Amino acid sequence: DADVTQTPRNRITKTGKRIMLECSQTKGHDRMYWYRQDPGLGLRLIYYSFDVKDINKGEISDGYSVSRQAQAKFSLSLESAIPNQTALYFCATSDPGLAGGLGNEQFFGPGTRLTVL
Amino acid sequence: AQSVTQLDSHVSVSEGTPVLLRCNYSSSYSPSLFWYVQHPNKGLQLLLKYTSAATLVKGINGFEAEFKKSETSFHLTKPSAHMSDAAEYFCVVSGEHGGSQGNLIFGKGTKLSVKP
């Protein structure tokens, strides 16, 4: 079973609709992240959470919100979707306590492809 | 602040020839550096990572990268390309405290094509 799962894997929606993307992990990591990927731009950070009570904005948080329901779950919401939010969205996790200085390695889910018409 | 520059957006090689994907970084801390690979319609997979141990890092599938502090580079190489290496590759930097926000900073990616 995958350690980091994302649902749905694909979603097509219309402008103005509210959308929620979900991420679950079985790695037991405290830190979770949401990124979006656009062609030619790499991955850009939307929000991140270092534990259940800690939520932080990333580079491109406008138009998005998040909820950390539990250590294992981190959801991304688009309150009113717009076409330029069409992208591939990735959830990731990390554990700062990993030995050997590897605590900043991140583990990625398979991605959610979102299309906003 | 940390940043990373991938010098080529697209690299094309023939099967069996060497691969070189170039990456330069900027960091005010001793950086951790990574290469991730993304095959078409797939998620990201870690290829290799540098965390201040050996400067020559070996990864999966025959890839390796050399950390050169004097050149602020972390180029990815493979002696002989295989068709299955065709993918997009991301160079990533994280500072001593995991970057300015505890996250990874991605380059814009290099798309590798492998010709038969």
Side-chain angles (χ1 to χ4, degrees):
Chain A
D1 287 339
D3 294 320
V4 184
T5 57
Q6 293 183 233
T7 56
R9 294 294 312 278
N10 287 282
R11 181 73 183 267
I12 300 173
T13 191
K14 295 182 178 180
T15 297
K17 293 292 188 181
R18 185 178 187 274
I19 295 296
M20 179 180 286
L21 310 182
E22 300 193 11
C23 176
S24 294
Q25 53 116 344
T26 58
K27 301 186 75 68
H29 290 173
D30 285 328
R31 297 185 175 190
M32 298 186 73
Y33 310 81
W34 275 105
Y35 294 89
R36 66 175 279 175
Q37 182 183 20
D38 299 277
L41 295 180
L43 274 72
R44 292 179 293 165
L45 183 67
I46 305 172
Y47 270 95
Y48 63 104
S49 169
F50 282 178
D51 64 40
V52 174
K53 298 179 181 178
D54 178 75
I55 303 289
N56 302 281
K57 292 182 177 181
E59 178 187 353
I60 52 164
S61 58
D62 287 349
Y64 301 95
S65 62
V66 291
S67 172
R68 185 81 185 267
Q69 301 95 322
Q71 186 205 40
K73 296 184 182 297
F74 191 35
S75 300
L76 176 72
S77 294
L78 287 67
E79 297 301 325
S80 179
I82 56 176
N84 76 1
Q85 292 178 312
T86 293
L88 187 56
Y89 290 84
F90 286 102
C91 175
T93 73
S94 70
D95 177 2
L98 281 178
L102 304 178
N104 47 21
E105 176 182 350
Q106 292 185 11
F107 300 84
F108 287 82
T112 294
R113 186 169 297 280
L114 177 66
T115 303
V116 183
L117 302 176
Chain B
Q2 291 84 358
S3 66
V4 61
T5 302
Q6 292 183 244
L7 299 167
D8 306 291
S9 59
H10 193 189
V11 170
S12 182
V13 301
S14 297
E15 191 175 21
T17 64
V19 176
L20 170 64
L21 305 184
R22 298 181 296 165
C23 173
N24 287 106
Y25 70 91
S26 172
S27 177
S28 53
Y29 300 105
S30 296
S32 294
L33 292 157
F34 308 82
W35 277 97
Y36 280 85
V37 60
Q38 184 181 28
H39 286 93
N41 300 312
K42 300 285 188 183
L44 282 85
Q45 180 184 17
L46 181 69
L47 264 184
L48 51 79
K49 54 200 170 195
Y50 166 77
T51 55
S52 75
T55 57
L56 183 62
V57 183
K58 294 188 184 299
I60 61 173
N61 300 332
F63 283 94
E64 62 182 37
E66 186 172 6
F67 173 72
K68 292 187 176 180
K69 186 175 181 179
S70 61
E71 299 176 9
T72 61
S73 69
F74 190 57
H75 301 334
L76 183 69
T77 60
K78 183 174 180 177
S80 177
H82 191 274
M83 295 296 291
S84 61
D85 294 328
E88 189 159 21
Y89 292 79
F90 293 96
C91 183
V92 183
V93 66
S94 177
E96 181 180 15
H97 300 294
S100 60
Q101 300 166 321
N103 60 297
L104 302 179
I105 298 168
F106 283 76
K108 294 185 177 181
T110 298
K111 193 161 291 188
L112 176 65
S113 300
V114 182
K115 297 174 289 186

